[in-house]
Amino acid sequence: MNFNIDFKWYQWLFGVISLILASFLTHEVFATLAESQPGTVKVLSLLIGIPLIIFLYLTFGLRSALKNTSLTNLPKFKAPVCFFNKSAHGRFYIMYQMRS
């Protein structure tokens, strides 16, 4: 069996943070329900769940988005040419002109 794992270091970091947040959220939800405080579950779900969703997106969603983007299909960028122009009053102005 050959596995092709091409995660970057920051994707591993986001994945580990996601696992820590998921285990912490699961523990806190069950502990809060055991203490019969269902109102606290909503607050914990918001405080821990939103960063968990963000880190899960950074782990998996960003990977698939970067994998689908090909650098050869990007449009050609024409950088502007910058030069100084002296006015009749002796002041210098920066002028931009697009390359053709």
Side-chain angles (χ1 to χ4, degrees):
M1 272 180 128
N2 210 359
F3 292 109
N4 188 11
I5 300 175
D6 58 345
F7 282 106
K8 304 287 184 199
W9 67 268
Y10 52 86
Q11 291 170 330
W12 283 106
L13 180 67
F14 292 149
V16 168
I17 292 172
S18 298
L19 285 175
I20 291 170
L21 284 174
S23 63
F24 182 67
L25 178 64
T26 305
H27 175 267
E28 291 300 316
V29 165
F30 284 119
T32 307
L33 288 175
E35 292 178 0
S36 301
Q37 297 177 354
T40 312
V41 174
K42 296 175 188 173
V43 175
L44 283 173
S45 298
L46 286 175
L47 290 177
I48 302 169
I50 291 174
L52 174 62
I53 291 171
I54 291 170
F55 277 110
L56 282 173
Y57 172 75
L58 289 174
T59 303
F60 297 107
L62 186 63
R63 179 177 186 265
S64 64
L66 289 175
K67 191 174 184 181
N68 292 337
T69 303
S70 175
L71 294 177
T72 58
N73 295 335
L74 295 176
K76 301 274 186 203
F77 176 71
K78 297 179 181 179
V81 177
C82 176
F83 59 92
F84 293 98
N85 190 10
K86 187 175 181 181
S87 69
H89 302 291
R91 296 187 182 122
F92 285 98
Y93 293 97
I94 299 174
M95 303 294 290
Y96 293 101
Q97 181 180 5
M98 294 302 292
R99 294 180 184 177
S100 53

